Amino acid sequence: MKQSEPSVALRARGGFALWAMVILLAVLGLGALGGGLWLILLGGSWYYAVAGLLFLATAALLAKRSPMALSVYALLVIGTLIWALWEVGLDWWPLSARGDVIAVVGFLLLLPWVTRRLGERQPMAGAPAPGVYPVGVFRGTGLPLTAALAVVLLVAVASWFTDPHRIDGTVPARQQTASAAAPAGGTGPVVPDGEWQAYGRTGFGQRYSPLSGITPDNADKLQVAWSYETGDLRDQPGDPKETTFEVTPLKIGNRLFLCSPHQHVIALDATTGKEVWRRDLQIDPKQLALQHLTCRGLSYRPAPQAATATASTPAAGGACAAKLFMPTADGRLVALNSEDGSICTGFGENGQVNLWANMPNVQPGAYYSTSPPVVTAKLIVVGGTVLDNVSTKEQSGVVRAFDADSGRLVWNWDSAKPDQTAPIADGQTYTANSPNSWSIASVDEALGMVYLPLGNQPPDQFGGNRSPEVERFSSSVVALDLATGQVRWVFQTVHHDLWDYDVPAQPSLIDLTVNGQTVPALVQPTKQGELFVLDRRTGQPVLPVTEKPAPQGAAEGDRAAPTQPVSALSYDPPPLSGADMWGATMFDQLACRIALKRLRYDGRFTPPSLQGSLIYPGNFGVFNWGSVAVDPQRQVAFTTPTYLAFVSQLVPRKNDSDLYVQGGERPKFSLPALNENFGAPYAIKLGPFVSVLGLPCQSPPWGYVAAADLTTGKVVWKHKNGTTRDASPVPLPLRMGVPNLGGPMMTAGGVAFLSGTIDYYVRAYDVSTGRQLWESRLPAGGQATPMTYQGEDGRQYVLVVAGGHGSLGTKGGDSVIAYALPK
């Protein structure tokens, strides 16, 4: 009987589908086998080579139209599932990377266009009747594959509802007797409950507000009360890549004070968001910073003898009673009248102090301050940042204290000459290329100490030429005497730092009850994930610190410290292994496994090397300048650990002219090139450890929110946080746990806030359990630290800045948004 035209078309379609599957399986098999053999030679897993052979066997059998093709593929499915569960357990994202391609191909193999061609023979006695096929989803060799895929689906569903990274618990409800309005025993001004007068609200840097109007019961009702756009957007001529809007505004009286990336100072009505005044500090584009352009905030000094003053009119001679201090991108410290933004001409020279004074190696754009200085009753203490990995002839990391009224230099602390703190003589310069304090410092005026987080000496990844003074102070938190600048104590968080593990975060000062005694403590977060809890009087650990052996074998001309300090309260992640590699598919995961094996990796503190070393945690930091928030009543820290691995590769240098990282020859009179390390024996190649698709090679989660008990060192709860909505080509809000850059804030109402994740949301959390209470979509990246205050209408407001971060790749903007409960 002549076949009908539809039957012929169906057979033709089936033949095409069959051969398409053969080709697909062959390509997958060759890729897995080739990469798998490479991985075996490097000492890695045998799985990929075996999988490649099973792909190829399936392709060969399929080409012969043998029903056994489905049985062999069922073996691959089940074998992959067993191997994946053995490596990662019921963890959805690592499981999906191992099995997604295999599962999809398995379902394709069960399509009728494929199964109907299997076992075909010429008509003969005993052959199936027309329309009856020997293989299908529920018969013949299709049945084992169907069963295998069904098991995979069941495991996938189970893993979707399982989170092996989660820690559940409840924060203790104890109460501390110390006041939250002013530091215990402090001599500084009392900060009214409804105000936020310093970067961390007070000089203690707690990022904690005693306001309690917003609670876990009503936080989900928060709504936008007002919004304001500064008009200052990035990508202007001369902007460096890392142009960011990271400000945490101040709130004094009914005024908000903030600064923008291009150095505008703005005052807003705190209740309505209406602009009150604006001051452009007129930065010459030729003087802009080469590496960063940001302003994290202003500093405020109330009028003397008026601790509760909210603003003032100019005093005689333009001195200004109440002042705002603004560090600029061209190396100035400017004093402004908080009432109208006018220059306080009685401060310094016509209202400003030149921070380039007595500075060595003057290079426009190479020295500046991105963080607000410490302000006390009498002094302003200011540090600065120098360029990372440019040369060995950078500026000094000197920290200086100026008289808050006159701007006169009172003392200077140069880490190369730590005992010589008297003001430097005219014509002399500070020590070049010394460790700097670029982040936010804290102060305890009662104890008479200022606490400085210190960075590293450039270059970050080579320390063969460091002096004993550098070795003592690099990557440390240092307590200086407020009156004299003399060192009171020093605690080093990393010995002989070769990883850019500078101390990035403001120390948080808090009184803790330990063994029934009240201990004035300091909590110092670090890039490597430690929270060192120290007695802020002496620098001695409150929670135990252990020196643990560290990997050796630094590059020629350098050394590695034999041990490194680890705190009892640590977010240090476990070392990475092949099982931790990840990707969108098994193939980019395979590529990441190969890349891992080709790098040097001996765990945390693996020294940089010529072959390339895996640095985990990377210099992005488990914690960065956003620091943590601490609750002085419940004695806990709300933290936002982030986990990203980086690759660090040393490149030998022969001279100071050639560009080894960027390639080519350095043009005459050109600006310094980042990561070239002119003057050092090595340049440095740095970058995130990512797959060929640009995804992190390590498995998610990459970001969490967590709470830790500061009296015991126990992590009470820890939950992955944030989605991939704004970080992937397809805007799917997959809650994988994403990186964060920007700090958290806590309130006495038991609610914490965070906006710094790479998806564009501000979120509220129950401090007791970590449960997310509320979220609101932001118009841009929120890489800043929120703050809260009380308006004239009696409502508690939560303020968020959404301006993005250039080097992080989040969307830029200029929004200031205030949220409140409905009236």
Side-chain angles (χ1 to χ4, degrees):
M1 179 182 296
K2 184 178 180 181
Q3 291 181 330
S4 65
E5 291 184 7
S7 177
V8 172
L10 183 63
R11 289 177 62 82
R13 186 187 307 165
F16 173 80
L18 183 73
W19 282 106
M21 288 302 302
V22 170
I23 294 170
L24 175 62
L25 286 162
V27 170
L28 295 177
L30 290 173
L33 180 59
L37 290 174
W38 189 2
L39 185 59
I40 289 172
L41 291 174
L42 293 171
S45 173
W46 283 59
Y47 163 78
Y48 296 91
V50 174
L53 290 174
L54 291 175
F55 272 126
L56 292 173
T58 303
L61 292 169
L62 203 62
K64 296 179 179 180
R65 302 187 181 185
S66 169
M68 287 300 296
L70 302 188
S71 295
V72 171
Y73 199 81
L75 179 63
L76 173 59
V77 172
I78 290 298
T80 298
L81 179 62
I82 293 172
W83 168 75
L85 289 172
W86 172 71
E87 279 208 324
V88 299
L90 286 174
D91 194 348
W92 163 257
W93 292 110
L95 282 176
S96 65
R98 288 160 171 78
D100 51 5
V101 169
I102 289 174
V104 169
V105 171
F107 286 113
L108 292 176
L109 284 172
L110 290 176
L111 292 175
W113 294 291
V114 176
T115 57
R116 289 178 179 177
R117 306 307 301 268
L118 298 180
E120 279 190 332
R121 297 287 188 275
Q122 294 295 327
M124 57 182 295
V132 178
Y133 301 95
V135 178
V137 174
F138 298 110
R139 61 178 178 272
T141 54
L143 183 58
L145 180 55
T146 301
L149 291 172
V151 173
V152 167
L153 285 176
L154 289 174
V155 171
V157 171
S159 67
W160 186 258
F161 294 99
T162 303
D163 186 356
H165 308 279
R166 184 181 180 95
I167 299 173
D168 285 315
T170 302
V171 167
R174 60 173 170 256
Q175 294 290 317
Q176 175 65 291
T177 57
S179 169
T187 59
V190 173
V191 176
D193 287 356
E195 299 198 0
W196 194 283
Q197 293 192 1
Y199 178 82
R201 188 174 178 272
T202 72
F204 268 34
Q206 294 177 344
R207 278 161 290 284
Y208 171 85
S209 169
L211 295 178
S212 57
I214 298 171
T215 69
D217 294 330
N218 62 24
D220 62 338
K221 297 179 176 61
L222 284 168
Q223 59 188 26
V224 174
W226 56 260
S227 63
Y228 170 82
E229 286 71 46
T230 68
D232 186 350
L233 296 167
R234 69 177 187 226
D235 297 328
Q236 297 183 25
D239 283 2
K241 182 177 181 180
E242 193 159 313
T243 298
T244 64
F245 194 20
E246 296 176 353
V247 67
T248 297
L250 305 181
K251 196 269 186 176
I252 299 109
N254 193 43
R255 298 270 180 90
L256 293 168
F257 301 101
L258 64 140
C259 50
S260 67
H262 292 91
Q263 318 295 280
H264 294 251
V265 180
I266 302 168
L268 305 177
D269 184 291
T271 308
T272 66
K274 181 180 178 181
E275 184 177 301
V276 178
W277 57 257
R278 184 187 188 103
R279 182 89 187 188
D280 183 354
L281 294 182
Q282 300 294 327
I283 306 298
D284 184 345
K286 295 180 181 178
Q287 303 291 324
L288 284 181
L290 301 176
Q291 207 161 7
H292 310 274
L293 182 58
T294 192
C295 177
R296 295 191 181 94
L298 302 158
S299 299
Y300 172 71
R301 179 179 180 256
Q305 309 298 322
T308 58
T310 60
S312 72
T313 56
C320 301
K323 297 185 183 73
L324 296 171
F325 293 99
M326 166 72 177
T328 68
D330 57 357
R332 294 176 290 152
L333 179 63
V334 181
L336 301 175
N337 176 17
S338 59
E339 176 65 23
D340 57 11
S342 61
I343 297 291
C344 297
T345 56
F347 178 81
E349 295 185 10
N350 295 317
Q352 61 185 26
V353 169
N354 179 18
L355 297 180
W356 279 100
N358 303 97
M359 191 65 69
N361 303 325
V362 175
Q363 168 71 50
Y367 177 83
Y368 46 95
S369 183
T370 59
S371 299
V374 162
V375 175
T376 71
K378 297 180 179 180
L379 298 175
I380 308 121
V381 182
V382 61
T385 186
V386 301
L387 299 178
D388 283 337
N389 299 330
V390 169
S391 79
T392 58
K393 298 178 180 178
E394 296 305 312
Q395 295 70 44
S396 178
V398 63
V399 176
R400 288 167 280 192
F402 300 95
D403 184 278
D405 290 315
S406 68
R408 173 182 57 87
L409 180 63
V410 176
W411 55 257
N412 38 231
W413 182 71
D414 184 336
S415 61
K417 304 171 183 177
D419 299 326
Q420 300 177 26
T421 62
I424 194 169
D426 292 340
Q428 294 186 352
T429 58
Y430 300 113
T431 304
N433 219 50
S434 55
N436 63 316
S437 184
W438 59 266
S439 191
I440 304 99
S442 299
V443 64
D444 186 333
E445 294 189 67
L447 292 178
M449 282 187 271
V450 60
Y451 304 93
L452 306 170
L454 285 191
N456 210 345
Q457 180 187 64
D460 291 315
Q461 286 77 22
F462 178 77
N465 300 324
R466 293 175 186 165
S467 67
E469 291 79 16
V470 167
E471 293 289 14
R472 178 186 177 193
F473 293 109
S474 179
S475 301
S476 299
V477 55
V478 177
L480 300 183
D481 186 282
L482 259 180
T484 65
Q486 292 287 323
V487 175
R488 297 274 288 270
W489 58 259
V490 55
F491 179 89
Q492 191 163 62
T493 67
V494 183
H495 307 318
H496 196 67
D497 185 357
L498 302 176
W499 305 274
D500 191 17
Y501 281 162
D502 49 356
V503 183
Q506 181 182 27
S508 294
L509 311 185
I510 181 173
D511 293 344
L512 299 177
T513 303
V514 181
N515 297 325
Q517 302 294 316
T518 298
V519 179
L522 175 150
V523 180
Q524 183 60 69
T526 68
K527 285 186 177 181
Q528 61 271 26
E530 309 302 321
L531 259 66
F532 292 106
V533 182
L534 312 174
D535 187 320
R536 67 177 181 269
R537 297 168 296 187
T538 63
Q540 294 300 306
V542 174
L543 294 180
V545 174
T546 305
E547 290 285 338
K548 293 190 175 181
Q552 299 298 289
E556 183 179 353
D558 207 344
R559 65 177 182 85
T563 64
Q564 294 290 353
V566 176
S567 173
L569 177 47
S570 176
Y571 289 92
D572 176 31
L576 293 175
S577 67
D580 296 305
M581 296 300 97
W582 188 73
T585 69
M586 63 179 290
F587 293 98
D588 52 317
Q589 183 197 57
L590 170 58
C592 285
R593 287 185 185 242
I594 292 171
L596 175 65
K597 287 293 183 180
R598 296 182 68 195
L599 294 168
R600 179 182 174 185
Y601 181 57
D602 304 318
R604 189 165 70 151
F605 299 115
T606 299
S609 62
L610 298 178
Q611 77 179 82
S613 294
L614 184 68
I615 310 301
Y616 182 65
N619 64 328
F620 184 87
V622 177
F623 301 107
N624 209 297
W625 52 262
S627 195
V628 299
V630 298
D631 183 333
Q633 306 301 315
R634 301 170 81 172
Q635 303 184 57
V636 295
F638 184 93
T639 66
T640 60
T642 290
Y643 299 105
L644 291 173
F646 276 65
V647 176
S648 176
Q649 183 179 9
L650 297 172
V651 182
R653 298 196 61 85
K654 296 179 182 178
N655 56 59
D656 284 353
S657 300
D658 291 341
L659 297 176
Y660 289 90
V661 174
Q662 301 189 5
E665 184 178 348
R666 183 182 180 187
K668 192 174 182 180
F669 306 122
S670 67
L671 294 174
L674 301 182
N675 298 328
E676 290 289 348
N677 293 343
F678 296 114
Y682 303 99
I684 185 72
K685 288 184 177 179
L686 295 170
F689 185 42
V690 295
S691 73
V692 293
L693 299 180
L695 299 172
C697 269
Q698 71 200 75
S699 295
W702 305 297
Y704 298 85
V705 289
D709 188 322
L710 294 171
T711 65
T712 65
K714 178 184 177 182
V715 176
V716 181
W717 54 257
K718 181 180 176 184
H719 306 158
K720 62 186 178 184
N721 183 59
T723 73
T724 60
R725 171 170 176 173
D726 300 299
S728 60
V730 180
L732 296 176
L734 302 174
R735 193 167 290 275
M736 298 173 71
V738 297
N740 163 81
L741 188 60
M745 175 267 291
M746 274 199 290
T747 71
V751 181
F753 294 89
L754 176 68
S755 65
T757 49
I758 60 172
D759 59 347
Y760 310 155
Y761 289 94
V762 55
R763 296 183 171 94
Y765 311 84
D766 186 333
V767 172
S768 295
T769 63
R771 177 173 62 96
Q772 183 175 311
L773 304 169
W774 166 84
E775 67 180 18
S776 180
R777 183 75 173 156
L778 298 174
Q783 280 67 60
T785 301
M787 51 84 75
T788 188
Y789 63 90
Q790 187 172 24
E792 285 190 325
D793 56 2
R795 291 195 294 171
Q796 180 180 351
Y797 290 79
V798 173
L799 194 75
V800 177
V801 166
H805 194 283
S807 61
L808 200 60
T810 53
K811 181 181 176 182
D814 63 340
S815 296
V816 181
I817 306 171
Y819 299 87
L821 296 173
K823 293 182 179 180

